[in-house]
């Protein structure tokens, strides 16, 4: 399908999405949010053509800027930023969808662009990457970004980024946990990750991410849910069949 603000390609179990408004710094507008939501919905589907049975989603930006944030020109022209819920829901899909979301970052990331990064499961960045929350300079604050950012880097690091409004370089972003992998060759790093991630099955990813979303990190609070999840997994016929096959044939589930 053709899109106005992004490119989306499906190859085997991988969907690659490229934000494609380089003339506007890949700024987020209503059409981009609508198209992103449509693509991620396709990636969620369990049935349908092979191109829709996606286990890995890769998000990147066209040109020298990953994403400059919200489209200020559109806001200035209309006098409104529009409804924030559709964009928040896109970030929820990246965070909780039944696939591994990978953000491939090159260049500047600002404001709402940080939301895409913070919502992704894995972030691979090169040394040109920088991250900033500039909202307070305009009398705003990143209300929708913060729930995802706090989950990734912790409350104080997110608080400091918000107050200071200045860009954080790639090395500092790696130190606080916003970036998982800092590399000189993002494509090579992506290929290395895909070799391993290709073995994961969609039902297992979906079950794990649903559990993780509800996991507080407090062992006492999480005990009941952890025990239920563990018991469910070890009574799943597919899981047990894979274990038996490994015991008898020393082959992993993906091996023929």
């Amino acid at each position: 399908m053709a899109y106005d603000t992004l490119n989306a390609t499906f190859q085997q179990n991988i969907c690659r999405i490229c934000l494609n408004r380089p003339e506007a710094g890949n700024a987020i507008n209503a059409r981009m949010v609508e198209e992103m939501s449509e693509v991620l919905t396709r990636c969620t589907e369990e049935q349908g053509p092979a191109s829709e049975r996606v286990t890995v989603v890769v998000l990147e930006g066209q040109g020298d800027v990953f994403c400059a944030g919200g489209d200020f020109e559109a806001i200035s022209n209309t006098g409104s930023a529009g409804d924030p819920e559709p964009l928040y829901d896109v970030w929820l899909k990246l965070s909780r969808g039944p696939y591994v979301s990978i953000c491939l970052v090159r260049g500047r990331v600002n404001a709402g662009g940080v939301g895409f990064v913070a919502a992704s499961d894995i972030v691979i960045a090169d040394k040109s990457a920088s991250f900033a929350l500039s909202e307070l300079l305009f009398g705003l604050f990143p209300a929708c970004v913060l729930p995802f950012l706090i989950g990734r880097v912790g409350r104080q690091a997110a608080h400091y980024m918000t107050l200071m409004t200045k860009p954080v370089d790639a090395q500092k972003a790696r130190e606080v946990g916003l970036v998982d992998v800092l590399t000189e060759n993002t494509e090579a790093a992506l290929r290395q990750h895909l070799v391993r991630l290709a073995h994961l099955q969609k039902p297992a990813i979906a079950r794990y991410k649903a559990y993780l979303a509800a996991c507080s990190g407090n062992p006492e609070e999480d005990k009941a849910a952890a025990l239920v999840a563990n018991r469910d997994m070890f009574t799943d016929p597919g899981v047990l069949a894979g274990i038996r096959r490994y015991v008898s044939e020393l082959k992993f589930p993906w091996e023929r």
Side-chain angles (χ1 to χ4, degrees), residues 226-248:
L227 295 177
V228 169
N230 188 277
R231 290 164 182 153
D232 286 348
M233 286 185 290
F234 282 97
T235 55
D236 184 309
V239 171
L240 293 176
I243 292 172
R244 293 190 190 101
R245 182 169 182 259
Y246 182 78
V247 170
S248 61

Side-chain angles (χ1 to χ4, degrees), residues 25 46 53 65 72 145 150 160 178 200 206 217 219 233 248:
E46 291 289 347
R53 293 196 289 272
V65 177
F72 269 20
V145 174
I150 290 171
Y160 186 76
L178 184 55
L200 303 185
M233 286 185 290
S248 61

Side-chain angles (χ1 to χ4, degrees), residues 158-177:
H159 179 49
Y160 186 76
M161 280 185 68
T162 302
L163 289 175
M164 294 306 295
T165 70
K166 66 179 183 179
V168 172
D169 65 27
Q171 181 59 48
K172 182 61 177 178
R174 175 70 183 90
E175 291 172 5
V176 300

Side-chain angles (χ1 to χ4, degrees), residues 8 16 23 55-56 68 70 87 91 115 118 127 171 202 214 251 253:
R16 194 153 182 170
E23 74 288 349
T55 57
V56 178
L87 178 56
W91 294 338
K127 294 181 179 179
Q171 181 59 48
K202 194 158 191 167
K251 290 184 178 180

Side-chain angles (χ1 to χ4, degrees), residues 31-244:
R31 183 61 177 157
M32 178 183 286
V33 174
E34 179 183 325
E35 292 181 340
M36 278 284 294
S37 181
E38 181 180 317
V39 174
L40 293 177
T41 296
R42 289 181 63 192
C43 295
T44 302
E45 294 174 357
E46 291 289 347
Q47 305 298 324
S51 64
E52 295 176 348
R53 293 196 289 272
V54 171
T55 57
V56 178
V57 172
V58 180
L59 177 63
E60 59 193 318
Q62 181 69 36
D64 298 330
V65 177
F66 175 81
C67 179
D71 190 338
F72 269 20
E73 184 174 347
I75 295 170
S76 178
N77 290 338
T78 63
S80 171
D83 182 3
E85 187 173 8
L87 178 56
Y88 196 94
D89 288 344
V90 163
W91 294 338
L92 279 176
K93 288 179 180 180
L94 284 172
S95 176
R96 299 189 178 185
Y99 40 72
V100 179
S101 53
I102 302 177
C103 212
L104 208 61
V105 184
R106 294 178 289 266
R108 183 165 63 94
V109 187
N110 185 55
V114 177
F116 287 120
V117 176
S120 297
D121 296 315
I122 296 172
V123 178
I124 300 172
D126 72 12
K127 294 181 179 179
S128 71
S130 66
F131 307 83
L133 297 173
S134 61
E135 286 89 341
L136 274 178
L137 295 174
F138 300 91
L140 310 167
F141 64 91
C144 291
V145 174
L146 281 170
F148 298 92
L149 186 61
I150 290 171
R152 209 174 216 288
V153 305
R155 189 178 188 88
Q156 182 57 33
H159 179 49
Y160 186 76
M161 280 185 68
T162 302
L163 289 175
M164 294 306 295
T165 70
K166 66 179 183 179
V168 172
D169 65 27
Q171 181 59 48
K172 182 61 177 178
R174 175 70 183 90
E175 291 172 5
V176 300
L178 184 55
V179 168
D180 297 300
V181 178
L182 182 57
T183 177
E184 295 183 356
N185 190 331
T186 53
E187 284 296 324
L190 175 63
R191 287 194 297 271
Q192 291 173 352
H193 281 70
L194 292 178
V195 168
R196 194 70 186 179
L197 293 172
H199 300 315
L200 303 185
Q201 298 176 352
K202 194 158 191 167
I205 296 171
R207 181 155 43 187
Y208 161 64
K209 290 185 70 173
Y211 174 77
L212 182 65
C215 190
S216 71
N218 183 310
E220 292 296 329
E221 292 179 6
D222 292 334
K223 179 179 177 180
L227 295 177
V228 169
N230 188 277
R231 290 164 182 153
D232 286 348
M233 286 185 290
F234 282 97
T235 55
D236 184 309
V239 171
L240 293 176
I243 292 172
R244 293 190 190 101

